[in-house]
Amino acid sequence: MSFFRRAATVLAATTALTAALALPALAHVTINPGTAVAGGFTKVAFRVPNERDGARTTKIEVTFPTDHPLAFVSVRPVPGWTVKVTEGKLPKPVTTEHGELTEAVTTIAWSGGEIGQGEFQEFEVSMGRLPTGVDQLVFPTKQTYSSGEVVSWADAPAADGSEPEHPAPVLKLTPPAEASPTAHASPAAGPTAAPAASGAAPASSDGTARLLAGAGLAVGVAGVVIAALALRRRPS
């Protein structure tokens, strides 16, 4: 019996380690899908998980880039939430195919709803035209909890590819020549398109989570193998 107790302890510790490795990497605001075609339109969803046991998420505020502004931005209504789209003057005018752009959307805030423990919500936005000549757009996001805590997901991607402590949602831009012909979306994809499936592929920032979860799973398998070998070596 003592052997089985030890084996159970090993497996429990392995499970805890796996969860500890995987969950922190998943519990942040992401943009889904994580890639889009430069120069076109796209529809994305800001996926917001609630990572506090004793508080609910009550507000989300996404900041849009002003160095590469987006001329067309629309939002899909989320039941139970109020959305506020704020436009502001750009630091300097930007020339687009539609003329000189002096104002653009600077922030979008959703409030009035709740995301409870163990839940997530997606906030959809249709936007374009996406800039060319850059490989990504960064959307710093503030997540407000019912306790008054505000978490700022605003860290830009690290140069070495590692994930920062509070990563901002990042949209990777793919050159049109490398993109699928069906990857473009029309400006109307926002309010009228079908909602993004909750099981959609996660953003590229979730790759770290998958790697860590895989490492945890490998540790768990190793624990099971060790326990089995120890059992076989016991005298009859």
Side-chain angles (χ1 to χ4, degrees):
M1 291 300 294
S2 60
F3 167 77
F4 288 107
R5 283 197 295 268
R6 288 195 298 270
T9 301
V10 170
L11 291 177
T14 301
T15 303
L17 176 61
T18 302
L21 287 171
L23 291 179
L26 288 170
H28 56 255
V29 179
T30 58
I31 188 170
N32 299 276
T35 60
V37 181
F41 289 83
T42 189
K43 184 188 72 171
V44 299
F46 291 93
R47 184 176 297 168
V48 183
N50 188 83
E51 58 173 4
R52 295 291 184 268
D53 293 338
R56 302 171 304 281
T57 297
T58 57
K59 182 179 179 180
I60 293 295
E61 182 176 288
V62 178
T63 299
F64 279 62
T66 55
D67 52 347
H68 299 289
L70 301 169
F72 301 98
V73 176
S74 60
V75 297
R76 179 190 290 275
V78 180
W81 293 78
T82 299
V83 60
K84 179 181 180 182
V85 180
T86 301
E87 294 188 4
K89 286 199 172 291
L90 300 175
K92 60 179 181 180
V94 176
T95 301
T96 71
E97 62 179 348
H98 302 286
E100 187 176 74
L101 196 64
T102 59
E103 293 187 355
V105 171
T106 54
T107 62
I108 299 181
W110 291 267
S111 60
E114 291 185 348
I115 307 173
Q117 180 181 353
E119 299 176 347
F120 74 92
Q121 181 61 269
E122 290 187 332
F123 303 90
E124 293 182 316
V125 178
S126 175
M127 55 191 181
R129 292 189 177 269
L130 301 175
T132 57
V134 295
D135 59 2
Q136 64 183 22
L137 293 177
V138 181
F139 296 85
T141 301
K142 291 181 179 179
Q143 182 176 10
T144 302
Y145 287 93
S146 56
S147 61
E149 178 188 9
V150 178
V151 178
S152 181
W153 302 100
D155 296 343
D160 61 2
S162 62
E163 188 173 82
E165 182 178 0
H166 293 91
V170 176
L171 180 65
K172 299 287 187 180
L173 299 180
T174 304
E178 299 178 10
S180 165
T182 60
H184 289 272
S186 69
T192 58
S198 59
S204 58
S205 60
D206 285 346
T208 303
R210 293 180 180 178
L211 178 61
L212 292 176
L217 180 60
V219 173
V221 172
V224 173
V225 171
I226 292 172
L229 290 175
L231 180 60
R232 291 184 58 187
R233 290 175 182 173
R234 290 189 64 204
S236 60

